[in-house]
Amino acid sequence: MFLNVHSSYSLKYGTQSISELIASARHLGIHQMVLTDINNSTGAVEFIRECYKQGIAKETDEVHKGNIPYQIKPAAGIEFRIGYRLLYVGIAKNREGMRELNEFLSYHNIYNIPLPENPPEMEHVYIIYPFQKTFSQALKANEYVGIRAKQLNFLYQHPLLKQKDKLLVWHPVTVSDKITYRLHEYFRAIELNTLLSKVPGEQKCDPDEFLIPEAELTRQFERYPFIIQNTQQLLDSCNLSIYFENSPVPSSKNKFYYTGTLAGDKKMLRELAETGLKYRYGENNPEAVLRLEKELRIIELKNFCAYFLITYDIVNYAINTCGFYHVGRGSGANSMVAYCLRITDVDPIDLDLYFERFLHEKRTSPPDFDIDFSWDERETIQRYIFERYPAGHVAFLGTMSTFKDRAIIREIGKVMGLPKAEIDSFTDPTKEKENLKDITYQKLLAVHHYMKNMPNQRSIHAGGILISEEPITYYTALDMPPKGFPTVQWDMYEAEAIGYEKFDILSQRGIGHIREAVQLIQKNKGKPIDIHDFPTFKNDAKLNRILKEGQPIGCFYIESPAMRQLLKKLKCDNYLTLVAASSIIRPGVASSGMMKSYIERYHAPDKVVYLCDVMKQQLAETYGVMVYQEDVIKVCHYFAGLDLADADVLRKAMSGKYRSKLAFDELVNKFFASARKQGHAEELITEVWRQISSFAGYSFSKAHSASFAVESYQSLYLKTYYPMEFMVAVLNNYGGFYSRWVYVNELQKTGAKVHLPCVNHSDEVVNIQGEEVYLGFIGIQGLEEKNIKIIPAERRVNGPYLDLEDFVKRTHISLEQAIILIRLGCLRFTDKDRKTLLWDVHNYLGFKQKKVNAAELFKLSYKTYQLPELADSELENAYTELELLGYPLNHKMFDFLKTSYRGDVMAADLHRHLGKTIRMVGNYVCEKTVHTIKNTKMWFGTFLDANGDFFDTTHFPNTTPIYPFKGKGCYLILGKVVEDFGFQSIEVLKFAKLDIQLNPVAIN
């Protein structure tokens, strides 16, 4: 009887989750409901699935029909609105009806067309209009009118009584009680950005829009039994049971075949894999052949041939058509087939990676490949995918943002009408204890309690794409976010539950660094680089020596302070150690103490005590520490005797991704029983299980770490042998972990002559010729985008600018924009100082601006004047660079200091002062805040000394009672030199920011 039920997916309107709605309905004995969220079908399939699941799972419910558990019959549709105004509700008769509704809404979303007052013909859909006193619309065969109990009095002599079969019971459901109605009012106020008291009545639901027993609803319409009968007939005719599959593994909804047939897919995948096998492993490698056959068997068994082939097609297009570089990472790098297809560059045999981590016979959730492209090339690949497959069969994966903890407190405060100062106080975590005594704050927290984690708005997944065998609109309507690609209305978890495997097309700037560096080396040095020659890179002694020194600034994943420290502590000089470092640097491992344990064992392998010979054999590479998820699989397989499939299922279960506790408990019992059969002692089994269970939740995929390590080596190779081109590429792809000036400093350290932007030499981005590097116009603060493009474009077409007048005439630049360029020295080719040029530019762009931009029949001459001597201060120029670039290029931050003191010790000499208290002067680079066990704060700082070398500081709570850093600049540091596994740092005792000279312009 409930034809119009809203869940919390009716964003900022509905107040109940789908599970709460179903539980409430079961409690009230309701047998049928229709989920009709506003302008979306996000929860439709979830609602259908959960209705069936709750009916099957809760066999102890009070309500039974014979011996069959009580089950709600679900139906679904969409409520269509323009703004707050309800137009009509569409209810799907069947699966085709869901497609019609979703396609109707998708069309209007994608093309941004307002919904019509009347929907088009939909053969498998019922349309229900809200009741109106003067309703005179001619109704079609599938159209009805819903009437509320409180509107029944208006039926007296109403024209609709002549069409009794068109009237239906209308009892919308939006809230569950008075409390959630108040929550609904908060939602509406937030949506409308207004005060609670100013939300118009028509923008809210009625207070009685909650579920009631079916008997009570029937009683309200007892004078009109035909309305009840019409409603029941409509509900009985709806059948969406096809959406529910009583199986733990939903059938795949992805594109079934790449070639058109299963046989064709198998043949093509095998041919590609065998060709790739020869490329990767040569003609005669029995181990590789056996591994390939094993993987192909499982891929065929699990019907993933098309998934591999589609991924291959994407990568092949990127490599051979676009010339793009990519990185295949994640668990997909465990696959030799993926390695042979060039989806990934990680050799699973070399690293002893298990295919079962990616795919096995017992895997219930679909795997996916993570393919990274450069940040500025990903959209090209995405567009290819959307053009390669039919419209309606390809879409971006959505995501659902929720009302986050502290962020929503500000929104609640605003609609409550609280002043900004009070809201600021309530959102300040340092005032939490004081705020908890405030009655208003307590009320705010009460609202927050009900609201947090509820859906807020639909968004787009970082890179997941679905390619469907049948139209995706059977399962969802599509949105059109600003990104410009159709997007489903649910997230990756719902996609997995339905049976979709996503294709993750991601991006990162590190690939951009590598790609552009290779291009610049070819252009600047005439030398082609095979960046995929990884075996050569990993065995290069020079690269490994630099890696060991821990100074790989600009190199992907290994340049952060924490990673640099770890590399030095491990004295990392090989690929396998870097793979391990890429895993143990993860927050979970580091905070657990495993990172420290690994470093200690790494330096004293002879002192490692293994639990047993099996553990030694399997964990010798990582000194008895389970560094990777694959280590968990190895131990479960070789120690306990579980097959590799069960081992991976158990690994995944312990990471919190297994939903059935009963199934998990069965696996645990199987682990213990199987381990006993291997002859292990009970005490040993218990200890091994303790170690597995304590680590598995935060372990990292070895294949993922290996993918990062490959890219790190590629970056390091370019940085080592072609440092100038590499650092220019880093700058042009907007850096990495550090601020831009750090990379400029690193570029200068390579010996490159780095120049300020120049209108006759600079391009939009940084360029390099030989050792001459010119900064680009993009980095200039305040310079408009049109001028960033026009200045170099005009020069390329018509040659260098001759003088200031020529520059002004040819670019039609404004006075304000010209002043920016002159102040930064971009017109220094004129051989005039900046002050003179600033005076001259007013001759052309002051009162005479119109003359300059107008067409001239004759070249006009202007009077010249003798200017007084204009001082051009180096300090003033340094301040200008700081203002317009964000850093001083031709000066150091140290040049701003009032003092000439640069410290007693430089970073390169720290190892000579271990245990001593010293004074240093450092230019602030970055910081990291850490919470201690006692819930106090400590900080780690990173600085450059006057020679441009890095050093690091530690600020303990007892010596740093307040926040120590005061923005960028130079600091005087008093501290003790300490060493941890060969890495020197400063434990700070005193810390102060140094005074700087004032800008001469400000003084004048």
Side-chain angles (χ1 to χ4, degrees), residues 929-938:
T929 306
V930 175
H931 288 272
T932 67
I933 297 175
K934 296 180 180 179
N935 201 30
T936 56
K937 289 182 180 179
M938 62 181 293

Side-chain angles (χ1 to χ4, degrees), residues 52-109:
Y52 279 99
K53 281 188 176 180
Q54 285 202 24
I56 291 170
K58 300 191 177 181
E59 298 181 4
T60 57
D61 281 357
E62 298 175 3
V63 186
H64 286 280
K65 291 183 177 179
N67 295 320
I68 302 173
Y70 163 55
Q71 182 174 287
I72 296 172
K73 178 185 177 183
I78 299 174
E79 179 180 308
F80 296 94
R81 293 191 179 211
I82 294 179
Y84 66 85
R85 185 166 63 89
L86 171 61
L87 299 176
Y88 34 81
V89 171
I91 298 176
K93 299 179 186 178
N94 48 37
R95 188 168 180 266
E96 291 301 321
M98 282 305 304
R99 179 186 58 77
E100 288 177 333
L101 284 168
N102 285 330
E103 287 182 354
F104 169 57
L105 180 59
S106 299
Y107 174 79
H108 290 273
N109 287 344

Side-chain angles (χ1 to χ4, degrees), residues 910 913-920 951-956 959 973-980 983-990:
L910 281 177
H913 300 272
L914 294 179
K916 297 179 182 177
T917 299
I918 63 168
R919 290 198 305 170
M920 296 185 73
F951 68 93
D952 297 87
T953 60
T954 304
H955 306 251
F956 290 107
T959 57
I973 303 162
L974 177 70
K976 181 181 177 182
V977 181
V978 296
E979 185 176 75
D980 187 19
F983 176 79
Q984 298 91 38
S985 61
I986 311 297
E987 288 185 356
V988 176
L989 301 173
K990 291 185 179 180

Side-chain angles (χ1 to χ4, degrees), residues 162-335:
K162 297 177 182 177
Q163 304 179 67
K164 291 184 177 181
D165 59 332
K166 293 295 185 180
L167 287 170
L168 302 173
V169 173
W170 189 267
H171 184 87
V173 175
T174 304
V175 299
S176 58
D177 51 31
K178 291 181 179 179
I179 293 177
T180 54
Y181 179 74
R182 189 59 171 166
L183 177 62
H184 166 80
E185 290 183 308
Y186 273 95
F187 278 146
R188 301 311 299 140
I190 291 172
E191 169 74 6
L192 299 170
N193 194 25
T194 188
L195 296 175
L196 274 169
S197 57
K198 292 189 175 181
V199 178
E202 64 270 14
Q203 287 276 16
K204 299 186 288 186
C205 74
D206 287 354
D208 62 353
E209 289 189 14
F210 49 82
L211 289 171
I212 58 176
E214 286 180 345
E216 183 179 338
L217 185 59
T218 303
R219 181 188 57 76
Q220 292 178 1
F221 285 82
E222 61 187 358
R223 289 188 299 132
Y224 299 90
F226 62 89
I227 298 180
I228 298 171
Q229 184 179 356
N230 295 340
T231 307
Q232 192 61 55
Q233 286 177 349
L234 184 147
L235 284 168
D236 291 343
S237 68
C238 295
N239 185 357
L240 296 176
S241 60
I242 193 171
Y243 281 100
F244 175 73
E245 297 167 342
N246 187 15
S247 166
V249 185
S251 62
S252 174
K253 303 299 186 299
N254 274 37
K255 185 172 175 60
F256 293 164
Y257 313 119
Y258 177 77
T259 62
T261 66
L262 178 59
D265 281 2
K266 289 180 178 180
K267 182 174 183 292
M268 183 177 181
L269 182 61
R270 177 169 289 276
E271 289 175 352
L272 288 170
E274 289 175 349
T275 300
L277 185 72
K278 293 176 184 177
Y279 168 72
R280 295 292 197 183
Y281 295 101
E283 291 288 343
N284 186 22
N285 191 319
E287 182 185 3
V289 171
L290 285 174
R291 168 77 177 250
L292 188 73
E293 289 298 325
K294 169 190 169 183
E295 288 194 16
L296 287 172
R297 178 184 63 79
I298 297 175
I299 291 168
E300 292 175 4
L301 177 68
K302 300 297 288 184
N303 294 320
F304 277 112
C305 291
Y307 186 78
F308 272 80
L309 289 172
I310 291 171
T311 307
Y312 164 78
D313 175 67
I314 294 167
V315 168
N316 186 58
Y317 172 79
I319 295 172
N320 295 320
T321 303
C322 303
F324 291 172
Y325 172 50
H326 76 281
V327 170
R329 58 179 175 84
S331 61
N334 286 272
S335 168

Side-chain angles (χ1 to χ4, degrees), residues 331-395:
S331 61
N334 286 272
S335 168
M336 177 191 282
V337 173
Y339 181 54
C340 292
L341 267 57
R342 294 187 69 183
I343 293 171
T344 173
D345 280 329
V346 174
D347 182 350
I349 291 181
D350 183 40
L351 286 176
D352 192 26
L353 300 178
Y354 293 100
F355 180 61
E356 286 77 9
R357 171 62 185 84
F358 179 66
L359 185 64
H360 52 75
E361 297 96 326
K362 299 177 183 179
R363 177 153 183 161
T364 58
S365 61
D368 57 64
F369 287 114
D370 295 335
I371 311 295
D372 284 346
F373 294 93
S374 176
W375 63 277
D376 56 349
E377 293 174 346
R378 176 170 68 158
E379 189 172 333
T380 301
I381 301 301
Q382 292 169 338
R383 198 162 297 283
Y384 168 72
I385 296 170
F386 275 81
E387 292 172 355
R388 176 77 170 76
Y389 299 97
H393 292 253
V394 57

Side-chain angles (χ1 to χ4, degrees), residues 589-600:
V589 184
S591 62
S592 71
M594 282 291 190
M595 183 166 78
K596 183 179 180 182
S597 179
Y598 179 86
I599 296 171
E600 290 172 346

